[in-house]
Every structure is written in C-alpha cells, then in structure tokens.
Amino acid sequence: MAITTAEIARRFTPPATDPERAALKARICAKAAELALLVHELVPGSREQSIAVEAIETAVSFAHHGIDRRLTTPTERIAARAAEPVPAHDYDRAAAEAAVRPDPL
C-alpha cells in the first residue's frame, strides 16, 4: 500500500497530552511530518518509502516517550516541592542526636 499524504498527517498528529508537553510534541510532529512529506515526494512509492516513513514515525515515538518519561514540567516541580518534608532545624537535629548518644564515661 502506498502511503498517502492523509496517512502521513494521521501518523504525525501529536497525541493528546497535558498543555505543558503538547507544544513540545507538536514541534516534533511538525518537523517529522515535513520530513515524511519530503520522503513521500522524492522517493517513489515502494518498500523503501514505507520503511523510511516508519523510521521517522519510530523516531517521533521515542521522542514523545522521552518527553513523557523524563521531562519535569514546572507544575510537577511545584507539586514535588510541596510534597517534600520540611527540613529540620539544626537545634532539632542536635537534640535528636543527643537523645541517642551514649553518655561519656
């Protein structure tokens, strides 16, 4: 089956995601679609054309996974900071250490 421009548009439409990641994924998809359309234009309909477009699709998929798995958005950083325990003051730490230290002879 020859790849159509409609199929390229379907394959390289960014997936639905939170707004903070959507812009990044849209930029990747736009550039990938541009490359896929160039392949479609320059390479005759063939197995090689299909493999080239699939390779671009794979690259986009891994890029999206990288964004989903590794990118920490500002909203997530704020939530993580709010969940962190408040650090103990030095006097609290000294009192805790003194409570478990054996008395010197």
Side-chain angles (χ1 to χ4, degrees), residues 24 27 35 40 44-45 56 61 67 76 80 82 88-89 97-98:
L24 298 174
R27 286 178 57 197
L35 179 57
H40 181 261
I56 297 165
S61 178
I67 289 170
E76 291 168 342
H89 297 314
E97 289 173 1

Side-chain angles (χ1 to χ4, degrees), residues 37-52:
L37 288 169
L38 182 66
V39 168
H40 181 261
E41 176 187 328
L42 300 178
V43 179
S46 61
R47 178 175 177 267
E48 290 81 6
Q49 182 195 60
S50 291
I51 291 171

Side-chain angles (χ1 to χ4, degrees), residues 72-87:
T72 305
T73 64
T75 302
E76 291 168 342
R77 284 193 291 273
I78 290 168
R81 276 191 217 119
E84 288 177 3
V86 177

Side-chain angles (χ1 to χ4, degrees), residues 8-9 12-13 27-39 56 60:
I8 289 171
F12 296 101
T13 299
R27 286 178 57 197
I28 290 169
C29 284
K31 293 297 182 180
E34 185 180 330
L35 179 57
L37 288 169
L38 182 66
V39 168
I56 297 165
V60 168

